Amino acid sequence: MALRFVDLHTHSTASDGSVAPAELVRSAHALNLEALALTDHDTLEGLGEAEQEARNIQAEHPDTPFEFIRGCELSSRCGAKEAHILGLWIDREEKNLLPLKEALQKIHQQRLVRNTAILEKLLQLGINLSLEEVMAFAGDEVVARPHIARALLQKGVVKSVREAFETYLGYRGKAYVPRELMTPEEAVSLLAESGATVVLAHPMLIGCPPDELEALIVHLKPYGLRALEAYHSEHSAADERVCVELAERHHLLLSGGSDFHGLSKPQVQLGKGHGGLRVSEAVLQRLKADREERGLPL
């Protein structure tokens, strides 16, 4: 039987991706992925739609196993850097989600403040864009910078979503506004309490020196960190080796995913990253075995 692959880090229109949750799941199945995790930024809103689509697919194709994993990605402030924390297998029980949902609600309120500040900066640059225009692109989704980018594209201010980020909305953009973020300890604890397997996302992109990265990993383990995302679209082969060595040294598991967003990262393909990413089903099986050993549901 041919080896199959998984993608444990993706984003949909529920946060800052351009593909709807159900469409993302169907695309993953069409690519013959064995499993897909939806890990939208700071929201659980797309999980129900995606999970239902996965059930539909399984009913249509009972002989082709396909697994959907409920996830979420939280951003945290780590000194002057950001550390992103993934939760895989977010619980379905409402009582176990209350602390996480309260934190997400606070993040959404902070996003509104940030979005308003971005629009004010754009206005100072002579670009009159209203929150209502942006929300028309967001619909029921969390309003985020990709929605502002699409509104700028519609108004003809930019010629592409990428240009919107490079010129206005990205870290070096003219209208960039930094986010208020929780601490890494808070992010790991919230996800662990929600029943998730907690993963430090793309560790080599944090940008801190090796000794600081290792210290962060050691520090977060007692809070519930279980794995490192070694396999990622922006990780080189050398980066992967560093992550594997860190995981072995500190008795952590490995994870991996494309970090697919769609139009805002057009060079990143679902399940394949820049074309060469392959996350083996063996990675998924080890993560699942760890959950089973700890008596956690899948």
Side-chain angles (χ1 to χ4, degrees):
M1 186 174 179
L3 180 65
R4 299 180 70 199
F5 301 96
V6 302
D7 195 334
L8 305 181
H9 187 167
T10 69
H11 300 277
S12 76
T13 51
S15 64
D16 59 347
S18 64
V19 179
E23 183 184 348
L24 185 64
V25 169
R26 196 156 284 276
S27 296
H29 182 264
L31 290 169
N32 199 36
L33 291 179
E34 180 171 322
L36 175 84
L38 178 59
T39 55
D40 273 313
H41 294 283
D42 308 324
T43 184
L44 309 179
E45 292 301 317
L47 297 182
E49 176 187 330
E51 197 164 22
Q52 182 57 55
E53 188 65 15
R55 292 193 199 100
N56 296 342
I57 288 171
Q58 201 61 72
E60 294 167 13
H61 306 276
D63 296 328
T64 307
F66 179 76
E67 185 170 349
F68 174 72
I69 298 162
R70 295 164 50 86
C72 181
E73 181 174 12
L74 301 180
S75 299
S76 67
R77 182 68 64 197
C78 187
K81 312 288 184 182
E82 284 190 22
H84 291 194
I85 314 296
L86 294 172
L88 301 176
W89 291 283
I90 299 283
D91 206 314
R92 294 177 180 83
E93 292 291 330
E94 189 68 24
K95 63 179 192 240
N96 297 330
L97 295 177
L98 288 178
L100 177 59
K101 285 192 169 182
E102 288 176 3
L104 293 178
Q105 182 59 39
K106 183 177 179 181
I107 290 170
H108 295 168
Q109 291 169 351
Q110 292 168 344
R111 275 185 182 273
L112 177 60
V113 172
R114 184 195 192 199
N115 291 334
T116 301
I118 290 172
L119 295 181
E120 288 175 356
K121 278 197 168 188
L122 287 171
L123 185 59
Q124 292 169 8
L125 294 168
I127 302 167
N128 188 0
L129 187 65
S130 71
L131 185 59
E132 288 73 23
E133 288 176 283
V134 175
M135 290 178 68
F137 285 96
D140 295 330
E141 304 155 13
V142 177
V143 179
R145 286 181 297 164
H147 302 119
I148 299 176
R150 288 161 64 190
L152 290 171
L153 179 61
Q154 185 190 56
K155 287 181 82 78
V157 176
V158 295
K159 295 180 179 178
S160 68
V161 168
R162 170 178 274 188
E163 182 186 345
F165 274 86
E166 290 177 348
T167 306
Y168 298 107
L169 307 175
Y171 180 69
R172 293 179 176 83
K174 299 174 184 177
Y176 177 76
V177 175
R179 294 182 289 174
E180 287 187 38
L181 300 174
M182 65 181 71
T183 67
E185 298 89 343
E186 289 172 326
V188 171
S189 297
L190 280 168
L191 291 170
E193 289 168 10
S194 76
T197 292
V198 184
V199 183
L200 180 60
H202 39 68
M204 305 308 290
L205 301 189
I206 296 174
C208 56
D211 57 334
E212 290 184 16
L213 175 60
E214 186 156 15
L216 175 66
I217 290 167
V218 171
H219 178 67
L220 292 179
K221 268 196 74 175
Y223 291 91
L225 182 68
R226 299 293 297 185
L228 303 182
E229 188 180 48
Y231 312 109
H232 182 271
S233 296
E234 303 297 330
H235 276 187
S236 66
D239 291 335
E240 290 179 5
R241 287 194 295 272
V242 170
C243 291
V244 169
E245 290 168 2
L246 283 168
E248 289 179 350
R249 193 152 59 240
H250 298 290
H251 308 290
L252 292 167
L253 297 161
L254 299 174
S255 186
S258 64
D259 204 355
F260 174 82
H261 282 70
L263 292 177
S264 63
K265 292 185 180 180
Q267 74 280 14
V268 176
Q269 303 173 61
L270 182 63
K272 298 178 180 178
H274 294 295
L277 180 73
R278 295 293 186 276
V279 183
S280 164
E281 60 185 343
V283 171
L284 175 65
Q285 295 308 320
R286 292 186 191 105
L287 290 167
K288 290 170 67 174
D290 174 69
R291 291 186 65 81
E292 290 170 357
E293 290 170 8
R294 294 189 289 147
L296 295 174
L298 295 171

